[in-house]
Coordinates of all heavy atoms in Angstrom, one line a residue:
K1 N 0.8 -1.1 0.0 CA 0.0 0.0 0.0 C 0.9 1.3 0.0 O 2.0 1.3 0.6 CB -0.9 0.1 1.2 CG -2.0 -1.0 1.2 CD -3.0 -0.8 2.3 CE -4.1 -1.7 2.1 NZ -5.3 -1.3 2.7
T2 N 0.4 2.3 -0.7 CA 0.9 3.6 -0.6 C 0.6 4.3 0.7 O -0.4 3.9 1.4 CB 0.7 4.5 -1.7 OG1 -0.7 4.7 -1.7 CG2 1.0 3.7 -3.2
F3 N 1.4 5.3 1.1 CA 0.9 6.2 2.4 C -0.5 6.6 2.3 O -1.1 6.6 3.2 CB 1.9 7.3 2.4 CG 1.7 8.1 3.7 CD1 1.8 7.7 4.9 CD2 1.2 9.4 3.5 CE1 1.7 8.5 6.0 CE2 0.9 10.2 4.5 CZ 1.2 9.7 5.9
S4 N -0.9 7.1 1.1 CA -2.3 7.7 1.0 C -3.3 6.6 1.1 O -4.5 7.0 1.3 CB -2.4 8.5 -0.3 OG -2.3 7.6 -1.5
E5 N -3.0 5.4 1.0 CA -3.9 4.2 1.0 C -4.1 3.7 2.5 O -4.8 2.8 2.9 CB -3.6 3.1 0.3 CG -3.6 3.5 -1.2 CD -3.1 2.4 -2.1 OE1 -2.1 1.8 -1.8 OE2 -3.8 2.2 -3.2
T6 N -3.4 4.4 3.5 CA -3.3 3.7 4.9 C -4.3 4.4 5.8 O -4.3 4.0 7.0 CB -1.8 3.9 5.4 OG1 -1.4 5.2 5.4 CG2 -0.9 3.0 4.6
W7 N -5.0 5.5 5.4 CA -5.9 6.1 6.4 C -7.0 5.2 7.0 O -7.4 5.2 8.1 CB -6.6 7.3 5.7 CG -5.5 8.3 5.2 CD1 -5.3 8.7 4.0 CD2 -4.6 9.1 6.1 NE1 -4.4 9.6 4.0 CE2 -3.9 10.0 5.1 CE3 -4.2 9.0 7.5 CZ2 -2.8 10.7 5.7 CZ3 -3.3 9.9 7.9 CH2 -2.6 10.8 7.1
S8 N -7.4 4.2 6.1 CA -8.4 3.3 6.5 C -7.9 2.3 7.5 O -8.6 1.9 8.4 CB -9.0 2.6 5.3 OG -8.0 1.8 4.7
V9 N -6.6 2.1 7.5 CA -6.0 1.2 8.6 C -6.1 1.9 9.9 O -6.3 1.3 10.9 CB -4.4 0.9 8.2 CG1 -3.8 0.1 9.3 CG2 -4.4 0.1 6.9
L10 N -5.7 3.2 10.0 CA -5.9 3.9 11.2 C -7.3 3.9 11.7 O -7.5 3.8 12.9 CB -5.3 5.4 11.0 CG -3.8 5.6 10.8 CD1 -3.5 7.0 10.6 CD2 -3.2 5.2 12.1
D11 N -8.3 4.2 10.8 CA -9.7 4.1 11.2 C -9.9 2.7 11.8 O -10.6 2.7 12.8 CB -10.6 4.4 9.9 CG -10.4 5.8 9.4 OD1 -10.0 6.7 10.0 OD2 -10.6 5.9 8.1
D12 N -9.6 1.7 11.2 CA -9.8 0.4 11.7 C -9.2 0.1 13.1 O -9.9 -0.6 13.8 CB -9.4 -0.7 10.6 CG -10.2 -0.7 9.4 OD1 -11.3 0.0 9.3 OD2 -9.8 -1.2 8.4
Q13 N -8.0 0.6 13.2 CA -7.3 0.4 14.5 C -8.1 1.1 15.7 O -8.3 0.5 16.7 CB -5.9 1.0 14.6 CG -4.9 0.2 13.5 CD -4.7 -1.2 14.1 OE1 -4.3 -1.3 15.2 NE2 -5.0 -2.1 13.2
V14 N -8.6 2.3 15.4 CA -9.5 3.0 16.5 C -10.8 2.3 16.6 O -11.1 2.1 17.8 CB -9.6 4.5 16.1 CG1 -10.6 5.1 17.1 CG2 -8.3 5.3 16.1
K15 N -11.4 1.8 15.6 CA -12.7 1.1 15.8 C -12.5 -0.2 16.5 O -13.4 -0.7 17.2 CB -13.3 0.9 14.4 CG -13.9 2.1 13.7 CD -14.3 1.8 12.3 CE -14.7 3.0 11.5 NZ -14.9 2.7 10.1
S16 N -11.4 -0.8 16.2 CA -11.1 -2.2 17.0 C -10.6 -2.0 18.3 O -10.3 -3.0 19.0 CB -10.2 -3.0 16.1 OG -8.9 -2.5 16.2
D17 N -10.5 -0.8 18.8 CA -9.9 -0.5 20.1 C -8.3 -0.8 20.2 O -7.9 -0.9 21.4 CB -10.6 -1.1 21.3 CG -12.1 -0.7 21.5 OD1 -12.3 0.5 21.2 OD2 -12.9 -1.5 21.8
A18 N -7.8 -1.0 19.2 CA -6.3 -1.3 19.2 C -5.6 0.1 19.6 O -4.5 0.0 20.2 CB -5.7 -1.8 17.8
I19 N -6.1 1.2 19.2 CA -5.8 2.5 19.6 C -6.9 3.2 20.5 O -7.9 3.2 20.1 CB -5.4 3.5 18.4 CG1 -4.4 2.9 17.5 CG2 -5.2 4.8 18.8 CD1 -4.2 3.7 16.2
N20 N -6.4 3.6 21.7 CA -7.5 4.2 22.6 C -7.2 5.6 22.5 O -6.2 6.1 22.8 CB -7.3 3.6 24.0 CG -8.2 4.2 25.0 OD1 -8.8 5.3 24.8 ND2 -8.4 3.7 26.1
P21 N -8.2 6.4 21.9 CA -8.0 7.8 21.9 C -7.8 8.6 23.0 O -7.4 9.7 23.0 CB -9.2 8.2 21.1 CG -10.2 7.3 21.1 CD -9.5 6.0 21.5
D22 N -8.0 8.0 24.2 CA -7.9 8.7 25.6 C -6.5 8.4 26.1 O -6.1 8.9 27.1 CB -8.9 8.2 26.5 CG -10.3 8.7 26.0 OD1 -10.5 9.8 25.6 OD2 -11.2 7.8 26.3
E23 N -5.7 7.5 25.6 CA -4.3 7.3 25.9 C -3.4 7.8 25.0 O -3.6 8.0 23.8 CB -4.2 5.6 26.1 CG -5.0 5.1 27.2 CD -4.7 3.5 27.3 OE1 -3.8 3.0 26.5 OE2 -5.4 3.0 28.0
P24 N -2.0 8.1 25.4 CA -1.1 8.6 24.6 C -0.8 7.6 23.4 O -0.7 6.4 23.6 CB 0.2 8.7 25.5 CG -0.3 8.9 26.8 CD -1.6 8.0 26.9
V25 N -0.7 8.1 22.2 CA -0.3 7.4 21.1 C 1.1 7.9 20.5 O 1.3 9.0 20.5 CB -1.3 7.6 19.9 CG1 -0.9 6.9 18.7 CG2 -2.7 7.3 20.3
Y26 N 2.0 7.0 20.5 CA 3.4 7.2 20.1 C 3.6 6.7 18.6 O 3.2 5.7 18.2 CB 4.5 6.5 20.9 CG 4.3 6.9 22.4 CD1 3.4 6.3 23.2 CD2 5.3 7.8 22.8 CE1 3.4 6.7 24.5 CE2 5.1 8.4 24.2 CZ 4.2 7.7 25.0 OH 4.2 8.1 26.4
I27 N 4.0 7.7 17.7 CA 4.3 7.3 16.4 C 5.8 7.7 16.0 O 6.3 8.7 16.6 CB 3.4 8.0 15.4 CG1 3.4 9.6 15.7 CG2 1.9 7.5 15.7 CD1 2.4 10.4 14.8
F28 N 6.3 7.1 15.0 CA 7.7 7.5 14.6 C 7.8 7.0 13.1 O 7.2 6.2 12.6 CB 8.8 6.8 15.3 CG 8.9 5.3 15.4 CD1 9.6 4.7 14.5 CD2 8.2 4.6 16.3 CE1 9.7 3.3 14.5 CE2 8.3 3.3 16.4 CZ 8.9 2.6 15.5
C29 N 8.5 7.9 12.4 CA 8.7 7.7 10.9 C 10.2 7.8 10.5 O 10.9 8.3 11.4 CB 7.8 8.8 10.1 SG 6.1 8.7 10.6
T30 N 10.5 7.7 9.4 CA 11.9 7.7 9.0 C 12.4 9.1 9.1 O 13.3 9.4 9.8 CB 12.2 7.1 7.5 OG1 11.6 5.9 7.5 CG2 13.6 7.3 7.1
G31 N 11.7 10.1 8.5 CA 12.2 11.4 8.5 C 11.2 12.4 9.3 O 11.5 13.6 9.5
G32 N 10.0 11.9 9.7 CA 9.1 12.8 10.5 C 8.0 13.4 9.8 O 6.9 13.7 10.3
I33 N 8.0 13.5 8.5 CA 7.1 14.1 7.8 C 5.8 13.4 7.8 O 4.7 14.0 7.9 CB 7.5 14.4 6.2 CG1 8.7 15.4 6.2 CG2 6.3 15.0 5.4 CD1 8.5 16.7 6.8
R34 N 5.7 12.2 7.5 CA 4.6 11.3 7.7 C 3.9 11.5 9.0 O 2.7 11.5 9.2 CB 4.8 10.0 7.1 CG 5.1 9.8 5.7 CD 5.3 8.4 5.4 NE 5.5 8.3 4.0 CZ 6.8 8.0 3.4 NH1 7.8 7.9 4.2 NH2 6.9 8.1 2.1
C35 N 4.8 11.5 10.0 CA 4.2 11.6 11.4 C 3.3 12.8 11.7 O 2.5 12.9 12.4 CB 5.4 11.5 12.5 SG 5.9 9.8 12.7
V36 N 3.8 13.9 11.0 CA 3.0 15.2 11.1 C 1.7 15.0 10.5 O 0.6 15.3 11.1 CB 3.7 16.3 10.4 CG1 2.9 17.6 10.2 CG2 5.1 16.7 11.1
K37 N 1.6 14.3 9.4 CA 0.3 14.1 8.7 C -0.5 13.0 9.6 O -1.8 13.3 9.8 CB 0.5 13.5 7.2 CG 1.1 14.6 6.4 CD 1.3 14.0 5.0 CE 1.9 14.9 4.0 NZ 2.1 14.5 2.7
V38 N 0.0 11.9 10.0 CA -0.7 11.0 10.7 C -1.0 11.6 12.1 O -2.2 11.3 12.5 CB 0.2 9.8 10.9 CG1 -0.4 8.9 11.9 CG2 0.5 9.0 9.6
G39 N -0.2 12.3 12.7 CA -0.5 12.9 14.0 C -1.8 13.8 14.0 O -2.5 13.7 14.8
S40 N -1.8 14.6 12.9 CA -2.9 15.5 12.7 C -4.2 14.8 12.4 O -5.3 15.0 12.9 CB -2.7 16.5 11.5 OG -3.7 17.3 11.3
Y41 N -4.1 13.7 11.6 CA -5.2 12.8 11.3 C -5.8 12.2 12.7 O -7.0 12.1 12.8 CB -4.9 11.7 10.2 CG -6.0 10.8 9.8 CD1 -6.8 11.4 8.7 CD2 -6.3 9.8 10.3 CE1 -7.9 10.6 8.3 CE2 -7.4 8.9 9.9 CZ -8.1 9.3 8.8 OH -9.2 8.7 8.3
L42 N -4.9 11.6 13.4 CA -5.2 10.9 14.7 C -6.0 11.9 15.5 O -6.9 11.6 16.2 CB -4.0 10.3 15.3 CG -3.4 9.1 14.7 CD1 -2.1 8.9 15.3 CD2 -4.4 7.9 15.0
K43 N -5.4 13.1 15.6 CA -6.0 14.2 16.6 C -7.4 14.7 16.0 O -8.4 14.7 16.7 CB -5.1 15.3 16.7 CG -3.9 15.1 17.7 CD -3.0 16.3 17.8 CE -1.8 16.0 18.5 NZ -0.9 17.3 18.5
N44 N -7.4 15.2 14.8 CA -8.5 15.9 14.2 C -9.6 14.9 13.7 O -10.8 15.3 13.8 CB -8.1 16.9 13.2 CG -7.2 17.8 13.6 OD1 -7.4 18.5 14.7 ND2 -6.0 18.2 12.9
K45 N -9.3 13.9 13.1 CA -10.3 13.0 12.5 C -10.7 11.8 13.4 O -11.9 11.4 13.4 CB -9.6 12.3 11.2 CG -10.5 11.5 10.5 CD -11.2 12.1 9.4 CE -11.9 11.0 8.4 NZ -12.9 11.6 7.6
L46 N -9.8 11.4 14.3 CA -10.0 10.1 15.1 C -10.2 10.6 16.6 O -10.5 9.7 17.3 CB -9.1 9.0 14.9 CG -9.0 8.7 13.5 CD1 -7.8 7.5 13.3 CD2 -10.3 8.1 12.9
G47 N -9.9 11.6 16.9 CA -10.2 12.3 18.4 C -9.1 11.8 19.3 O -9.4 11.8 20.6
C48 N -7.9 11.4 18.9 CA -6.8 11.0 19.9 C -6.4 12.3 20.5 O -6.1 13.3 19.9 CB -5.7 10.4 19.2 SG -6.2 8.8 18.4
K49 N -6.3 12.4 21.9 CA -6.0 13.5 22.6 C -4.5 13.8 22.8 O -4.1 15.0 23.0 CB -6.7 13.4 24.0 CG -8.3 13.4 24.0 CD -8.8 13.1 25.3 CE -10.4 12.9 25.2 NZ -10.9 12.1 24.2
D50 N -3.8 12.8 22.8 CA -2.3 13.0 23.1 C -1.5 12.1 22.1 O -1.3 10.9 22.3 CB -2.0 12.4 24.6 CG -0.6 12.8 24.9 OD1 0.2 13.4 24.2 OD2 -0.3 12.3 26.1
V51 N -1.0 12.8 21.0 CA -0.3 12.1 19.9 C 1.2 12.6 20.0 O 1.5 13.7 20.1 CB -0.7 12.4 18.6 CG1 0.1 11.6 17.6 CG2 -2.2 11.8 18.6
R52 N 2.2 11.7 20.3 CA 3.7 12.0 20.4 C 4.4 11.4 19.3 O 4.2 10.3 19.0 CB 4.2 11.6 21.7 CG 3.2 12.2 22.9 CD 3.6 11.5 24.2 NE 2.7 12.0 25.2 CZ 3.0 11.9 26.5 NH1 4.1 11.2 26.9 NH2 2.1 12.2 27.4
S53 N 5.4 12.2 18.8 CA 6.3 11.6 17.7 C 7.7 12.0 18.1 O 8.0 12.9 18.9 CB 5.8 12.1 16.4 OG 6.0 13.5 16.2
L54 N 8.5 11.3 17.3 CA 10.0 11.5 17.5 C 10.4 12.6 16.5 O 10.1 12.6 15.3 CB 10.6 10.2 16.9 CG 12.1 10.0 17.3 CD1 12.2 10.0 18.8 CD2 12.4 8.5 16.8
R55 N 11.0 13.7 17.1 CA 11.2 14.9 16.4 C 12.3 14.6 15.3 O 13.3 14.0 15.5 CB 11.8 16.0 17.3 CG 12.2 17.2 16.6 CD 12.8 18.2 17.3 NE 11.8 18.9 18.3 CZ 12.0 19.7 19.2 NH1 13.3 20.2 19.3 NH2 11.2 20.1 20.0
H56 N 11.8 14.9 14.1 CA 12.7 14.7 12.9 C 12.9 13.2 12.5 O 13.8 12.7 11.8 CB 14.2 15.3 13.0 CG 14.2 16.7 13.2 ND1 13.5 17.6 12.4 CD2 14.5 17.6 14.3 CE1 13.6 18.9 12.9 NE2 14.2 18.8 14.1
G57 N 12.0 12.3 13.1 CA 12.0 10.9 12.8 C 13.2 10.1 13.3 O 14.0 10.6 14.0
I58 N 13.3 9.0 12.8 CA 14.4 8.0 13.1 C 15.6 8.6 12.8 O 16.7 8.5 13.4 CB 14.2 6.7 12.5 CG1 12.9 6.0 13.2 CG2 15.3 5.7 12.8 CD1 12.5 4.9 12.4
I59 N 15.8 9.3 11.5 CA 17.0 9.9 11.1 C 17.5 10.9 12.0 O 18.7 11.0 12.4 CB 16.9 10.4 9.6 CG1 16.7 9.3 8.6 CG2 18.1 11.2 9.2 CD1 16.4 9.7 7.2
G60 N 16.6 11.7 12.5 CA 16.9 12.8 13.4 C 17.4 12.2 14.8 O 18.4 12.7 15.4
Y61 N 16.8 11.1 15.2 CA 17.2 10.5 16.4 C 18.6 9.9 16.2 O 19.5 10.0 17.2 CB 16.2 9.4 16.8 CG 16.6 8.7 18.1 CD1 16.5 9.2 19.3 CD2 17.2 7.3 18.0 CE1 16.9 8.7 20.5 CE2 17.7 6.7 19.2 CZ 17.5 7.3 20.3 OH 18.0 6.6 21.5
E62 N 18.8 9.3 15.1 CA 20.1 8.7 14.9 C 21.2 9.8 15.0 O 22.3 9.5 15.4 CB 20.1 8.0 13.5 CG 19.4 6.6 13.6 CD 19.3 6.0 12.3 OE1 19.5 6.7 11.1 OE2 19.3 4.8 12.2
Q63 N 21.0 11.0 14.3 CA 21.9 12.0 14.3 C 22.1 12.5 15.8 O 23.2 12.7 16.2 CB 21.4 13.2 13.4 CG 22.3 14.3 13.4 CD 23.7 14.0 12.7 OE1 23.7 13.3 11.7 NE2 24.8 14.3 13.4
W64 N 21.1 12.6 16.5 CA 21.1 13.1 17.9 C 22.0 12.1 18.8 O 22.9 12.5 19.5 CB 19.8 13.3 18.5 CG 19.9 13.5 20.0 CD1 20.1 14.8 20.6 CD2 19.9 12.6 21.0 NE1 20.1 14.6 22.0 CE2 19.9 13.3 22.4 CE3 19.7 11.2 21.0 CZ2 19.9 12.6 23.5 CZ3 19.6 10.4 22.2 CH2 19.7 11.2 23.4
A65 N 21.7 10.9 18.5 CA 22.4 9.7 19.2 C 23.8 9.7 19.0 O 24.7 9.5 19.8 CB 21.7 8.4 19.0
S66 N 24.2 9.9 17.6 CA 25.5 10.0 17.2 C 26.3 11.2 17.8 O 27.5 11.0 18.4 CB 25.6 10.1 15.8 OG 26.9 10.2 15.3
D67 N 25.7 12.3 17.9 CA 26.2 13.5 18.4 C 26.4 13.3 20.0 O 27.3 13.9 20.5 CB 25.4 14.8 18.1 CG 25.5 15.2 16.7 OD1 26.3 14.6 15.8 OD2 24.6 15.9 16.2
A68 N 25.4 12.8 20.6 CA 25.4 12.7 22.1 C 26.1 11.4 22.5 O 26.3 11.3 23.7 CB 23.9 12.7 22.6
D69 N 26.6 10.6 21.6 CA 27.3 9.3 21.9 C 26.4 8.5 22.9 O 27.0 7.9 23.8 CB 28.7 9.7 22.5 CG 29.6 8.5 22.4 OD1 29.5 7.7 21.5 OD2 30.6 8.3 23.3
Q70 N 25.3 8.5 22.7 CA 24.3 7.6 23.4 C 23.1 7.2 22.5 O 22.7 8.0 21.7 CB 23.9 8.1 24.8 CG 23.1 9.5 24.6 CD 22.6 10.0 26.0 OE1 22.9 9.3 27.0 NE2 22.1 11.2 26.0
S71 N 22.6 6.1 22.9 CA 21.3 5.7 22.0 C 20.5 4.6 22.8 O 21.2 3.8 23.5 CB 21.7 5.3 20.7 OG 20.5 4.8 20.0
L72 N 19.3 4.7 22.7 CA 18.4 3.6 23.2 C 17.9 2.7 22.1 O 17.1 1.8 22.4 CB 17.2 4.3 24.1 CG 17.6 5.1 25.3 CD1 16.4 5.7 25.9 CD2 18.4 4.2 26.2
W73 N 18.2 3.1 20.9 CA 17.7 2.5 19.8 C 18.4 1.1 19.6 O 19.7 0.9 19.7 CB 18.0 3.2 18.5 CG 17.6 2.5 17.2 CD1 18.3 1.6 16.4 CD2 16.2 2.5 16.7 NE1 17.7 1.3 15.4 CE2 16.3 1.6 15.5 CE3 15.1 3.1 17.1 CZ2 15.3 1.6 14.7 CZ3 14.0 2.9 16.2 CH2 14.0 2.1 15.1
D74 N 17.6 0.0 19.5 CA 18.1 -1.4 19.3 C 17.5 -1.9 18.1 O 16.2 -2.4 18.2 CB 17.8 -2.3 20.5 CG 18.4 -3.5 20.5 OD1 19.3 -3.8 19.5 OD2 17.8 -4.6 21.1
G75 N 18.1 -2.0 16.9 CA 17.4 -2.5 15.8 C 18.1 -1.8 14.6 O 19.1 -1.1 14.6
E76 N 17.3 -1.9 13.4 CA 17.8 -1.4 12.2 C 16.7 -0.5 11.5 O 15.5 -0.7 11.7 CB 18.1 -2.5 11.1 CG 19.3 -3.3 11.6 CD 19.7 -4.3 10.5 OE1 19.8 -4.1 9.4 OE2 19.8 -5.5 11.1
N77 N 17.1 0.5 10.8 CA 16.1 1.4 10.1 C 16.3 1.1 8.6 O 17.3 1.3 8.0 CB 16.5 2.8 10.4 CG 15.4 3.7 9.7 OD1 14.3 3.4 9.6 ND2 15.9 4.9 9.4
F78 N 15.2 0.5 8.0 CA 15.3 0.2 6.6 C 14.6 1.4 5.7 O 13.5 1.8 6.1 CB 14.5 -1.0 6.3 CG 15.2 -2.3 6.9 CD1 14.8 -2.7 8.2 CD2 16.2 -2.9 6.3 CE1 15.3 -3.8 8.7 CE2 16.9 -3.9 6.9 CZ 16.4 -4.5 8.1
L79 N 15.5 2.0 4.8 CA 15.0 3.1 3.9 C 14.7 2.4 2.6 O 15.5 1.6 2.2 CB 16.0 4.2 3.9 CG 16.3 4.8 5.1 CD1 17.5 5.9 4.9 CD2 15.1 5.5 5.7
F80 N 13.7 2.9 2.0 CA 13.3 2.5 0.7 C 13.5 3.4 -0.4 O 13.0 3.4 -1.5 CB 11.8 2.0 0.7 CG 11.5 0.9 1.7 CD1 11.1 1.3 2.9 CD2 11.9 -0.4 1.5 CE1 10.8 0.2 3.9 CE2 11.6 -1.4 2.4 CZ 11.2 -1.2 3.5
D81 N 14.2 4.5 -0.1 CA 14.7 5.5 -1.1 C 16.2 5.9 -0.8 O 16.8 5.3 0.1 CB 13.7 6.7 -1.1 CG 13.5 7.4 0.3 OD1 14.5 7.4 1.0 OD2 12.5 7.9 0.4
K82 N 16.6 7.0 -1.4 CA 18.0 7.3 -1.3 C 18.1 8.6 -0.3 O 19.0 9.4 -0.5 CB 18.6 7.6 -2.6 CG 18.8 6.3 -3.4 CD 19.4 6.6 -4.8 CE 19.2 5.2 -5.5 NZ 20.1 5.2 -6.7
R83 N 17.4 8.7 0.7 CA 17.5 9.9 1.5 C 18.7 10.0 2.3 O 19.2 10.9 2.7 CB 16.3 10.1 2.5 CG 15.0 10.6 1.8 CD 13.9 10.7 2.9 NE 13.4 9.4 2.9 CZ 12.3 9.1 3.7 NH1 11.7 10.0 4.5 NH2 11.8 7.8 3.7
R84 N 19.2 8.9 2.8 CA 20.4 8.8 3.6 C 21.1 7.5 3.3 O 20.6 6.4 3.4 CB 19.9 8.9 5.1 CG 21.1 8.8 6.0 CD 20.7 8.4 7.3 NE 20.3 7.0 7.1 CZ 20.2 6.1 8.2 NH1 20.4 6.5 9.2 NH2 19.7 5.0 7.9
F85 N 22.4 7.6 3.0 CA 23.3 6.5 3.0 C 24.6 6.8 3.8 O 25.0 7.9 3.9 CB 23.7 6.4 1.4 CG 22.7 5.7 0.7 CD1 22.0 6.5 -0.3 CD2 22.4 4.4 0.6 CE1 21.0 5.9 -1.1 CE2 21.5 3.8 -0.2 CZ 20.7 4.6 -1.0
S86 N 25.2 5.8 4.2 CA 26.5 5.9 4.8 C 27.4 5.9 3.6 O 27.1 5.6 2.5 CB 26.8 4.8 5.7 OG 27.0 3.5 4.9
N87 N 28.7 6.3 3.8 CA 29.7 6.5 2.7 C 30.0 5.1 2.1 O 30.0 5.0 0.9 CB 31.1 7.0 3.3 CG 30.9 8.5 3.6 OD1 30.1 9.2 3.2 ND2 31.8 9.0 4.6
D88 N 30.0 4.1 2.9 CA 30.1 2.8 2.3 C 29.0 2.3 1.4 O 29.2 1.7 0.5 CB 30.2 1.7 3.4 CG 31.6 1.8 4.4 OD1 32.5 2.4 3.8 OD2 31.6 1.4 5.3
E89 N 27.8 2.6 1.9 CA 26.5 2.3 1.0 C 26.6 3.0 -0.3 O 26.2 2.6 -1.3 CB 25.2 2.7 1.8 CG 25.0 1.6 3.0 CD 23.9 2.1 3.9 OE1 23.8 3.2 4.2 OE2 23.1 1.2 4.3
Q90 N 27.0 4.4 -0.2 CA 27.0 5.1 -1.4 C 27.9 4.6 -2.4 O 27.8 4.4 -3.6 CB 27.4 6.7 -1.0 CG 26.2 7.5 -0.8 CD 26.6 8.9 -0.5 OE1 27.8 9.2 -0.1 NE2 25.7 9.8 -0.8
S91 N 29.2 4.1 -1.9 CA 30.2 3.6 -2.8 C 29.6 2.3 -3.5 O 29.9 2.1 -4.7 CB 31.5 3.3 -2.0 OG 32.0 4.4 -1.4
D92 N 28.9 1.5 -2.7 CA 28.4 0.3 -3.3 C 27.2 0.6 -4.3 O 27.3 0.0 -5.4 CB 27.7 -0.6 -2.3 CG 28.7 -1.1 -1.2 OD1 30.0 -1.2 -1.6 OD2 28.4 -1.6 -0.2
E93 N 26.6 1.6 -4.1 CA 25.5 2.1 -5.0 C 26.1 2.5 -6.4 O 25.5 2.3 -7.5 CB 24.6 3.0 -4.5 CG 23.5 2.6 -3.5 CD 22.4 1.9 -4.3 OE1 21.9 2.3 -5.2 OE2 22.1 0.6 -3.8
E94 N 27.1 3.2 -6.3 CA 27.8 4.0 -7.4 C 28.5 3.0 -8.3 O 28.8 3.3 -9.4 CB 28.6 5.2 -7.0 CG 27.8 6.3 -6.3 CD 28.6 7.3 -5.6 OE1 29.8 7.2 -5.6 OE2 28.1 8.3 -5.1
S95 N 29.1 1.9 -7.8 CA 29.7 1.0 -8.4 C 29.0 0.0 -9.2 O 27.9 -0.1 -9.3 CB 30.8 0.3 -7.7 OG 30.2 -0.3 -6.5

């Protein structure tokens, strides 16, 4: 599905009580832009009262964690476009 096709998924999550609009909802995205849209939708369309997101998304968190030399992240972030590559990944892509 594309991003624009996922609104019905959010609707279904609220209808099924998987998301309680009276409890905090935490969302995170790769760069944060989609979270702005989803957060607004959750608040305005679905009535969620407390929506929280990771500022500047996972990429922003990775930059902060690198600068601060600390991280709570345990896992991998898979990107499906070329927004960010390490130097090694760029070299592999170009060859």
Side-chain angles (χ1 to χ4, degrees):
K1 289 191 173 202
T2 65
F3 179 70
S4 63
E5 295 173 317
T6 58
W7 301 117
S8 62
V9 174
L10 287 172
D11 294 334
D12 292 343
Q13 293 293 305
V14 172
K15 287 178 190 170
S16 72
D17 292 330
I19 297 175
N20 182 341
D22 295 321
E23 294 181 2
V25 177
Y26 297 87
I27 56 178
F28 60 92
C29 306
T30 302
I33 298 302
R34 289 183 181 103
C35 281
V36 171
K37 294 178 180 182
V38 169
S40 178
Y41 187 84
L42 287 167
K43 288 179 183 177
N44 297 314
K45 181 100 173 164
L46 301 180
C48 294
K49 295 169 181 57
D50 186 5
V51 179
R52 303 172 187 195
S53 64
L54 199 55
R55 181 183 291 178
H56 304 297
I58 296 168
I59 292 173
Y61 178 78
E62 288 177 334
Q63 182 63 50
W64 171 85
S66 174
D67 293 346
D69 198 29
Q70 62 180 353
S71 177
L72 299 174
W73 179 264
D74 182 22
E76 295 182 49
N77 180 31
F78 296 95
L79 297 178
F80 300 99
D81 57 29
K82 295 182 179 185
R83 282 181 277 183
R84 183 204 57 165
F85 284 105
S86 70
N87 288 337
D88 293 338
E89 290 170 316
Q90 272 185 331
S91 298
D92 291 344
E93 279 289 312
E94 293 170 358
S95 50

